Every structure is written in C-alpha cells, then in structure tokens.
Amino acid sequence: MTKAGAFLAGFVLAAAAAAGAWWFVGLPHARDLEARAVDAGRATARARRDASDFQQGAEAEIRRRREIESEVDSLKKALTAAPPPRRPGPMAPNGGPAPAPAPSDDLAPEQWDGSRLRQEIDMLSVAPKGVVDSPRYPLVVRALRAHDEESVDLLVTVLGSDLEDSMKAVCATLLGAVGDVRGVKPLMALWETAKDVELRRAVLRGLANIPGEEATPMLVAVWNDPNSDASARLLAIHGLARRRHPLATAVAAGGAPGSTPPLRMQTLQTLHAQALQGEWKDTSLAPLFGKALRTADGDPQRKMALLALEGYWSTDSLADLDAFAEAAGTNDLAVRARRLSDAIRAGKPRPENAGIPAQRAGATRVGGEPGGSDEIVPPGK
C-alpha cells in the first residue's frame, strides 16, 4: 500500500471512530443538554405564570377586601336604622296625605319590601358558600323573620324552581335560619335530587338548623356514611347537637367512633349555644361540660367547656372544676377554674355576662353553627 493509501485509510478509520464516538457519546449528551434547556425554559415560563397568577390573585383579594369594607359600612346604617319619624308633609290635591316617598337604603330590614328583599338575596347568591359569614346575612334573616309567612313561601318557591343552584343554596340556608318547620319537606325533597356539592351542603345546613325530629334520621345517616366529607359531617353533628342526640352528646363528652377534635369542638360549640339560648336553666348538660373539661383534646375545647360551666354557675360542677385545676397545675385555665370553684363555694352571685363569649363572632349564625368558608376548622381552633 502506498503512503497516500495508508494515510487515506487512517483518515477514514479516524473519521469512523470520531463518528462512532459522537453517535454513542456526543449525541446523547447533546440531546440531554437540549432536554435540560427545554425543561429550564418550561420551568421559567411556569414560574412567570405562577408569579403573574399570584399577583393577580393578590390584587383580586385586595379589591375584594375593599369591597367588603365598603359593604360593611353601608350595611351598618341598615343594621342600626330605626323607623323614620312621621313628619307632616304636603297634602295631596284631594286633601289627603301625599304619597309616601320611595324606600330609603337606610331602612331597617324589618321595613324592606319584597323587591328589596329579593335584591338582597340575589346579592348573597354571588358567593353562596360563605353566605353565613356575609355582613348582609343577618340583615336578610331579620327581614325574613319579620314577614315569616311570605318569607317561607318565597324561599320554598325558589327551591322548586329552575333558578341557578347558587340561588337555591342561599335560599336553603336562609330557610334554616328562619327555622320554620314548613321548610323541612321541601329541603328533604331537594336533598334527594340535588347534584351540586355546594347546594347539597346548603340543604344539609338548612335541615340541621330547623328544629324537630323529622330530619334526624338523615343527619344520622350523613354522620355514619363513610363517604361523607368533613364539612358534611360537621353540619350533621351540629344538627344532632341541636337536637341533643345521643351521638352528639357522646362526641362532646369524650369523643365517639368517627369523631375528630374539630368535630368535637363543633359539638361543644353548638351545645354551648343551646345552653346560652336557654339562659342556663336546663342543667342537664352541666355534667357533660364538666367531663369535656377534663378529657378535652386541646385548649380550645377546654375554654369552651369552662365557659359553659361559668354560665351554669352550679355546685354540681365543683368536683370537675377541682379535678381539672389539680391536674392542670398552674396554667391560666387552671387558675380560672380555681377562681370559678372558689366563687361558687362562697355563694357569690353569677355575673351577668357569665358564659357569654367576649367576642361573639358567630352571634349572627344559628345556634353556634359552623362558618361557611372554613367549615372544617371551627372557631377557636
């Protein structure tokens, strides 16, 4: 072979080796680098979208808070409004009084006409999940209770109509707040057909709040159903506690199968509201709160139990108060329990506000019911 041929052969072999090295080593590495670059580009784009979404969400939240603050200011006027005084006005041409002026936005809810009431309900339907937390909610409830007969007819008519589920959900909640037993059958019928999650939750809330035993089997079924979510079970145990069902008293006393700390807290909260509404006259729940004080799952439950015992102000609670104070040692709740025990033993009169929370955030709700937007985390948790 000539020198030229040998050189050419060597060059070909070197080129083939380089090509093989590129194919087996360089190309996969290049593809890996390219893939990493693509992933990095996607991650950057995702981060930019997330940052943009976060900024938009923050701006929306700021706008929402400003709107709520403005709404609260305007509703305070209606909340504190009194009937306008009668003033002598101009006479009509026939000698009689002139027609009454158009209703003012500052009218008390009890003076709202049907048009104003429907407008307020429509506003509540914009956010049906958090309706019980809205500052508008207690005003609408006041207006409905002032015209009970017409109100129930209106709410029941909406439940059976073709209106949107959000409107039906608000009316189901309001029907429970009015507390008229005529609302049970329409709510039970809607429970059987409703598919929307928020609508079913509102129907469950309405049935939990309306007194009577007709809805009790359904509430028990929801509590025992392993497929019920946390919010549904919270509303079910609230309804059972309002009826002082054995399931609820078992949960309050020490927990029961299926109970959790939030569910037990809600039960104590509802039972406390029942005792407060009854002006502490029925002392049958006092031993239950005493046991709850000693076996509570945390300080929120202890505070609720101790608050109830302060309301009862009964010598029957002394043993539980003493046992808790001794076991708790020197913390604030133990000191509070000792102070209560000493006052009851000394025969001091019960203070006027005993048993009433310092800040009654849920005072506009029905009997200690859970909130709307944070149902699985009861107040104080």
Side-chain angles (χ1 to χ4, degrees), residues 244-289:
R244 300 194 184 182
H245 190 277
L247 271 173
T249 55
V251 169
S259 178
T260 63
L263 291 171
R264 189 181 182 191
M265 178 63 188
Q266 177 60 56
T267 308
L268 290 171
Q269 179 176 296
T270 302
L271 291 173
H272 170 270
Q274 295 288 295
L276 176 59
Q277 185 177 7
E279 299 180 346
W280 314 106
K281 294 177 181 178
D282 182 0
T283 59
S284 62
L285 288 177
L288 184 148
F289 283 108

Side-chain angles (χ1 to χ4, degrees), residues 13 36 323:
L13 289 175
R36 291 183 181 182

Side-chain angles (χ1 to χ4, degrees), residues 296-318:
D297 299 311
D299 280 351
Q301 293 180 18
R302 295 186 187 98
K303 290 178 182 178
M304 183 61 66
L306 188 54
L307 185 66
L309 294 178
E310 289 170 343
Y312 280 116
W313 203 267
S314 170
T315 55
D316 294 337
S317 304
L318 291 176

Side-chain angles (χ1 to χ4, degrees), residues 313 315 318 339-349:
W313 203 267
T315 55
L318 291 176
R339 188 182 301 120
L340 173 60
S341 177
D342 292 342
I344 294 175
R345 277 196 174 90
K348 293 182 179 181

Side-chain angles (χ1 to χ4, degrees), residues 2 35 41 70 161 178 218 229-230 302 370:
T2 64
S70 176
S161 70
V178 172
M218 188 273 280
D229 60 25
R302 295 186 187 98

Side-chain angles (χ1 to χ4, degrees), residues 47 63 138 163 219 222 230 236 290 298 321 377:
R63 288 195 300 270
L163 292 173
L219 296 173
V222 171
L321 289 169
V377 186

Side-chain angles (χ1 to χ4, degrees), residues 123-199:
M123 291 180 181
L124 285 176
S125 70
V126 174
K129 183 176 181 179
V131 61
V132 298
D133 303 316
S134 169
R136 194 179 300 275
Y137 175 68
L139 303 180
V140 175
V141 173
R142 279 176 53 185
L144 291 170
R145 288 176 176 172
H147 308 282
D148 182 74
E149 193 74 27
E150 298 87 346
S151 299
V152 173
D153 291 341
L154 169 64
L155 298 175
V156 169
T157 299
V158 172
L159 295 186
S161 70
D162 294 330
L163 292 173
E164 296 179 354
D165 286 343
S166 59
M167 177 65 76
K168 292 182 180 180
V170 168
C171 289
T173 299
L174 292 171
L175 199 54
V178 172
D180 195 303
V181 294
R182 289 174 296 169
V184 174
K185 290 187 183 300
L187 286 171
M188 292 286 286
L190 187 56
W191 174 261
E192 296 298 328
T193 60
K195 303 298 182 183
D196 180 73
V197 174
E198 295 301 331
L199 176 57

